Amino acid sequence: QVQLVESGGGLVQAGGSLRLSCAASDASGRSFGPIAMGWFRQAPGKEREFVARIWWTDGFTMYADPVKGRFTISRDNAKKTMYLQMNSLKPEDTAVYSCAAAPGSTTGYRDWGQGTQVTVSS
């Protein structure tokens, strides 16, 4: 049973930066080793959308077009923590950001955090 907790959200002016963290823990005591983890966001009145993904072992990354060049996803395997560095923030980035883990290559994202609010003012 994996628990994911996001942090780092808040209010920032347009053009500013925030760094989100997603800390993972396994209640079974086993080491945390998903195949991939990702960041998603959901704005009011909109569906959840993919933001960025990172393969846990080799660090390969993938980004959604709206955030490419502005956001950077990373992870610290030893700390069991994933990060999302968000630069040049825009009001349209305002959303609840959630992290998720994919246990296996065919399982998809199974474990989800509760989310952290990011608000970008004009």
Side-chain angles (χ1 to χ4, degrees), residues 34-96:
I35 188 170
M37 293 189 68
W39 286 100
F40 297 80
R41 66 186 183 186
Q42 186 169 22
K46 296 185 177 180
E47 295 183 348
R48 183 182 64 194
E49 65 176 347
F50 165 78
V51 176
R53 179 186 302 122
I54 186 167
W55 271 255
W56 199 251
T57 300
D58 60 17
F60 182 83
T61 59
M62 183 179 295
Y63 299 90
D65 288 340
V67 308
K68 191 174 298 182
R70 299 188 298 119
F71 291 9
T72 302
I73 189 171
S74 62
R75 88 279 191 247
D76 187 324
N77 299 65
K79 295 182 178 180
K80 301 178 181 179
T81 303
M82 179 178 64
Y83 306 94
L84 184 68
Q85 179 65 47
M86 304 185 294
N87 298 325
S88 302
L89 283 164
K90 305 174 181 179
E92 47 264 47
D93 293 320
T94 296
V96 174

Side-chain angles (χ1 to χ4, degrees), residues 34-38 40 53 100-112:
I35 188 170
M37 293 189 68
F40 297 80
R53 179 186 302 122
S105 60
T106 61
T107 304
Y109 293 103
R110 184 175 181 177
D111 303 302
W112 293 81

Side-chain angles (χ1 to χ4, degrees), residues 2-59:
V2 176
Q3 301 287 338
L4 302 176
V5 180
E6 302 94 339
S7 63
L11 176 64
V12 65
Q13 295 182 5
S17 300
L18 283 174
R19 192 187 195 197
L20 306 183
S21 298
C22 174
S25 63
D26 193 329
S28 69
R30 297 181 179 180
S31 60
F32 182 67
I35 188 170
M37 293 189 68
W39 286 100
F40 297 80
R41 66 186 183 186
Q42 186 169 22
K46 296 185 177 180
E47 295 183 348
R48 183 182 64 194
E49 65 176 347
F50 165 78
V51 176
R53 179 186 302 122
I54 186 167
W55 271 255
W56 199 251
T57 300
D58 60 17

